[in-house]
Amino acid sequence: MTDTVPHPAVMSDESPSTDVRRIGPAFRTSHPLASGPVVQPAPTVDGFVETFLGELNYGQGTLLSQSTVNDQYLALARTVRRYLMADWLETGTRRRQAPQKTVGYLSAEYLLGRQLGNNLLATNLQDIAEVAMTQCGIDIARLRAQEVEPGLGNGGLGRLAACFVDSLATMDVPCIGYGIRYEYGIFRQTFEADRQVEVPDSWLSLGNPWEFPHPERQVLVSFGGTTETAVDVDGREHCTWTPDWQVIGMPYHYMVPGHRNGVVNTLRLWSARATQAFDLQIFNSGDYAQAVRAQTTAENISKVLYPEDSTPQGKELRLQQQYFFVACSLHDFIDNTLPADFDLHRLHERIIFQLNDTHPVIAIPELMRILVDRKGFVWDEAWAITRKCFAYTCHTLLPEALEVWSVELLGRLLPRHLEIIYRINEEFLDEVREAHPGDEMLVRRMSIIAEHPDRAVRMAYLATVAASKVNGVAELHSQLLRDKVLPDFSRLWPEKFTNVTNGVTPRRFVRLANRRLSDLITETIGDGWVTDLDRLRELEPYADDAGFREQFRAVKQANKERLATLLRVRDGLELPPGTMLDVMVKRLHEYKRQTLKLLHIVSLYDDVVSGRVPAEEVTPRTFVFGAKAAPGYHLAKEIIFLINAVADVVNADPAVAGRLSVAFPANYNVTLAEKLIPAADLSEQISLAGKEASGTGNMKFALNGALTIGTDDGANVEIRRLVGDENFFLFGMTEPEVEELSARGYTPSEVYESDPQLRSTIDLLASGHFTGGDRQAVAPVIDNLLHQDSFMVLADFRAYLDAQARVDAAYADPDAWSRSAILNVARSGYFSSDRSMRDYLERIWHA
């Protein structure tokens, strides 16, 4: 159940209401705030300094001479915020006066990155702010470094959501991003004895100037309990859900500015609170822990992003999180955003809820519950509305990532929703039987309810049944989604399936992250590319201009030096100068095949120390990894340990000094990505074909002038087609070849025995050479490679080394390499998230 929680100030008879809807007409016509926000004067350095000092004095309560760096950062952030707020209020006013269809983006993750630099860029205040801070005797770079990045996402899914809401604002498309305000977000990664250690990410500990709490828009969310169905005199069934317990969802609003267009959309993140946070009677009895137990239980819901779910308690908490934020979000739009007299039969004209993977799919039965139980719609009316209001993006091909919730857990936590899912499934299977009479095996395969090994709800199936459209996120992924993951559904509803290839925002990942390159591009073709990335094509002729290639190389070298300085200060790591920067940064998962990269490094090292290859014949390379492993993913954490162990030995061995080095900075995040990606020469995108949905890191690297070595997987297929085979290092099996090998029977130990270089490489690892002679320390990874190798690392090893030899040959010609890198930039404009949003608008949202 969801209801607005009255704010005490609104409820009190003694408190005058400040609700603008209740203010009398005399005030409305005479007060300048009544008709709209105050217009922000054009920014000047003096005005910026005055506002900054005012925020420092009256916001932080301190003088400039006595202020800390954090005081100064908060005052600067609030100063920039003031310039955004006028546009935010104006955007809201304009959209209320002329309502349009809104995108409700439902996502469990938003990996936003630092906000100060992005908001300075969006408001075109970068230069003014720098001069203003200089006049105040402050280094603005120090204030930028003070900001703590919100850890509200785990990887590509959350960063994609952040890119999408950025693009929608830049395109002036009404959008509300809905998610969870995790108190701790994704963990902060550290290394101890080369092993990953997870530390809570206290990103809110120093204050967050970018959020606006709105307790007056709180929502009540229910869990557990029982349902009771009664029949009225007209024969209509009415269901009452009596919950066991409830929590309050409190919204925090974040501004999402478009790029210098005066548009500011809203990101609304929900934080869980107890309905009765403190029991004074129990406290006075001396049981202090029990007095706040309800508060602790409620706040656990929004405490941590992706709680460890290897336990029943962890699974239940994850489901609580998912229902909590979608229940808050649907209630917020229907009851707090739409006019009170809005006809919900037309709901699809005002909102399309985009389900960002399976995490928010419980929103489907929640909307049905709202319409049937709260608003009095008959079932068929409610179902017709619901099927027009959702679209579903599938972000994976891995079975374990397609969420399945046990019937027992759903029935215990959300009994009314399970009843609704049962009825949706019953009517859907009747539809299947009608289309395919007599095919009960098909009916069983397509049932939303899985019967084995335990009864469970398949959330991807529920999403597919209810959604108006289902899309994959790259051409190959969408094809495999139709043909391999949901083939029965695509045959039943071929028109429902479509593709939207992912994209990244050029504002953050080129203009902000790579200012040197963006300045060079702007000097060459103008600044229109920032909001029209297809214009990068105008750079193509300059790939044949020797002077431009020299400038391009200078940008890359300066970015490498910037990264080296950062890693020296941040991590105590030294990057040798004058080497190729070979980078693999992404979530640590077996299918992404960091182990294949590791085998390449060890094989190069083995060649040198064994004497087979003179050190001077090895292309100088610095290998950089960045990856977090899920806390409960044991093998992934063992791979991280082994990478670090290899790095320790390689970096200390004089035999390969100046030729091979390995860096693994801890806690890879957006902030580090903004420095690392512009510096990279080679982008490693080496997942097993058919396993990566899309990838967005591959796009960021190409846009910043790195060449890709990769398989034909995910968006690599489209990158290679656009940049040209000669500017991409392709290797490995295709998806059909992977399927064929799997069907034929893959035995990794046979590959090991048949390739002497592979055998020597694995034997060196297994010998304990990199772990002080401790063979057991490497056994989990080696045993997995030799006896399971689910993602066929060994099968692609030889092709990968051959491709790396082509990389060496190409890198030996700096001029030709620069030409290829420039063409990668020029031909990657397709991978703008602005283009992705245009595709969603045209193919799915029809907004």
Side-chain angles (χ1 to χ4, degrees), residues 786-807:
L786 291 178
H787 304 297
Q788 288 179 278
D789 195 17
S790 303
F791 298 100
M792 300 183 177
V793 169
L794 304 193
D796 269 346
F797 174 80
R798 175 50 50 196
Y800 181 56
L801 260 60
D802 291 345
Q804 289 288 3
R806 299 199 303 274
V807 171

Side-chain angles (χ1 to χ4, degrees), residues 651-714:
N651 294 342
D653 194 330
V656 293
R659 292 289 164 176
L660 302 177
S661 64
V662 184
F664 195 155
N667 204 48
Y668 180 70
N669 57 14
V670 176
T671 302
L672 180 54
E674 291 172 359
K675 303 296 190 298
L676 178 54
I677 291 171
D681 293 304
L682 186 67
S683 164
E684 299 274 351
Q685 310 296 331
I686 59 177
S687 55
L688 179 65
K691 299 303 179 185
E692 181 69 84
S694 169
T696 52
N698 47 5
M699 304 170 187
K700 295 164 194 168
F701 281 105
L703 279 166
N704 281 275
L707 273 60
T708 303
I709 181 168
T711 52
D712 250 348
D713 196 26

Side-chain angles (χ1 to χ4, degrees), residues 45 73 99 422 549 661:
V45 171
Y73 160 69
Y422 276 145
R549 290 196 300 269
S661 64

